Amino acid sequence: ESKLTLRPPSLAAPYAPVQNWQHQPEKLIFESCGYEANYLGSMLIKDLRGTESTQDACAKMRKSTEHMKKIPTIILSITYKGVKFIDASNKNVIAEHEIRNISCAAQDPEDLCTFAYITKDLQTSHHYCHVFSTVDVNLTYEIILTLGQAFEVAYQLALQAQRAKPLGAGAGEMIETKSSKPVPKPRAGMRKSAVPDQDSQSHASVSWVVDPKQDSKRTLSTKYETTIF
């Protein structure tokens, strides 16, 4: 295969505050990016409201775990295929989420070390939010950015595969994939990316949302919202 070319974050979404991804695409295709994080838990999302649901879940899980003496430590293993939770002590895989079922990844605006993403269970159609925290805000930001890069790699690989197929092939697969993922509604006041919606050509859209409120103790409050059809 020819070398995969990714759009830079600033081109994929004009409001992205960074110019470069963290990793080479091959890292997410042939290997994986592993990050240590504390797993605060998961909760059922009854009313999906985009990143607002993610942030609500972050606040609730932070409050429910603040007095816990021991919070599980896991490794988040990220590739273009999805995310695995790996037990840091025995290296067993606890859970695995496909990239197409992940959406609404965001940092907690009240605590930038906390972040979460939402998954859809295809069997029940229920949505769950998985909440994590790290010891450093920069590490949390890198995890969110790496998730965004995983979406971009998956998107470019899908385009590459589509171009390699004869005209008309794979159309049913595209339709089936798209129908399995609802579009989360953006919060009011969010600035959306100016990326055109190319339904006929693409099956992924990514939008960056930067919180204008700057905490003097923090360098940047950034939320990363994704929609994968």
Side-chain angles (χ1 to χ4, degrees):
E1 292 291 338
S2 58
K3 184 174 174 61
L4 198 68
T5 302
L6 304 184
R7 298 170 297 176
S10 56
L11 184 61
Y15 297 122
V18 294
Q19 297 299 316
N20 299 300
W21 297 112
Q22 293 283 338
H23 310 282
Q24 292 297 319
E26 291 75 17
K27 177 77 172 173
L28 288 157
I29 297 171
F30 301 111
E31 302 175 46
S32 66
C33 297
Y35 296 98
E36 190 171 288
N38 294 318
Y39 180 45
L40 303 187
S42 302
M43 63 179 290
L44 176 68
I45 302 297
K46 295 180 180 178
D47 179 24
L48 187 63
R49 304 184 312 280
T51 52
E52 185 179 344
S53 296
T54 312
Q55 290 156 6
D56 286 349
C58 283
K60 288 175 182 175
M61 294 306 297
R62 267 195 300 109
K63 187 173 182 179
S64 68
T65 58
E66 63 184 355
H67 297 303
M68 284 179 61
K69 291 183 179 179
K70 189 172 183 180
I71 296 175
T73 301
I74 64 166
I75 304 295
L76 283 175
S77 178
I78 303 172
T79 72
Y80 81 98
K81 291 182 178 180
V83 180
K84 290 180 181 179
F85 298 8
I86 300 173
D87 189 308
S89 59
N90 58 28
K91 309 305 180 193
N92 290 334
V93 176
I94 301 168
E96 189 169 354
H97 300 131
E98 291 183 52
I99 199 79
R100 69 191 179 107
N101 297 328
I102 296 174
S103 66
C104 307
Q107 283 171 277
D108 181 350
E110 301 301 320
D111 177 8
L112 294 178
C113 287
T114 302
F115 68 100
Y117 62 77
I118 292 174
T119 59
K120 180 182 180 181
D121 185 321
L122 294 181
Q123 292 183 335
T124 64
S125 292
H126 291 159
H127 290 89
Y128 295 90
C129 189
H130 310 276
V131 186
F132 314 87
S133 67
T134 72
V135 295
D136 179 65
V137 64
N138 293 318
L139 177 58
T140 299
Y141 178 73
E142 183 176 334
I143 294 172
I144 292 290
L145 185 60
T146 301
L147 271 172
Q149 187 177 6
F151 291 129
E152 175 67 10
V153 170
Y155 169 54
Q156 293 298 339
L157 284 173
L159 286 184
Q160 193 176 76
Q162 192 177 5
R163 285 193 293 265
K165 288 181 181 179
L167 188 63
E173 180 186 345
M174 293 288 286
I175 293 170
E176 181 185 352
T177 304
K178 181 172 179 179
S179 64
S180 70
K181 194 76 189 97
V183 183
K185 296 178 182 178
R187 283 199 311 156
M190 281 189 174
R191 294 191 299 174
K192 296 296 288 181
S193 159
V195 179
D197 184 11
Q198 302 170 329
D199 272 351
S200 61
Q201 299 175 18
S202 69
H203 62 282
S205 65
V206 180
S207 60
W208 277 88
V209 187
V210 180
D211 191 338
K213 297 176 187 175
Q214 301 271 341
D215 187 326
S216 60
K217 296 180 181 178
R218 310 284 194 182
T219 54
L220 182 67
S221 173
T222 306
K223 290 168 285 188
Y224 191 75
E225 181 180 3
T226 60
T227 304
I228 299 296
F229 298 104

